[in-house]
Amino acid sequence: MAAGIIGALTAAPAVIEGITNIIGRFIPDPGQQAQAAIEMQKLVADREAAVAQSAAEIAKAQAETNTAEAQNPSLFVGGWRSFVSWGCGVGLISTSPSCSRS
């Protein structure tokens, strides 16, 4: 999800340039072209702000969920992260070349 958001934000200048080129083909007056380009830039900027705000809200909600899970007294709810991390650590150690038997 974050990659899509970052990709959308980095693609915005190319989108604005493409839209400006299209506007130039359909609106012959340079003043009207500039006004239309400014309006399109405002729309893109508003969209970028909405996407960034949405991503921040999602991250905040995930952080709240993580906090609630970590504070749960049940080992099955609050302890799964430590279980997975220990399991991954043991798995990495057991598959390392220094631990394998040749």
Side-chain angles (χ1 to χ4, degrees):
M1 166 126 172
I5 292 170
I6 292 170
L9 293 176
T10 57
V15 170
I16 291 172
E17 183 180 342
I19 292 171
T20 304
N21 291 337
I22 292 171
I23 289 171
R25 292 181 184 167
F26 291 104
I27 302 174
D29 182 34
Q32 290 178 344
Q33 286 179 5
Q35 182 63 29
I38 289 170
E39 289 177 18
M40 290 306 298
Q41 288 176 351
K42 286 180 183 176
L43 289 173
V44 170
D46 290 345
R47 178 68 180 145
E48 287 177 354
V51 168
Q53 182 179 3
S54 176
E57 290 173 2
I58 290 170
K60 182 180 177 184
Q62 184 62 52
E64 290 171 357
T65 301
N66 294 346
T67 301
E69 281 185 358
Q71 291 176 347
N72 194 311
S74 171
L75 185 62
F76 293 105
V77 176
W80 73 270
R81 284 186 174 91
S82 58
F83 171 76
V84 170
S85 64
W86 278 105
C88 290
V90 169
L92 287 172
I93 290 171
S94 67
T95 59
S96 68
S98 62
C99 291
S100 62
R101 296 182 182 140
S102 299

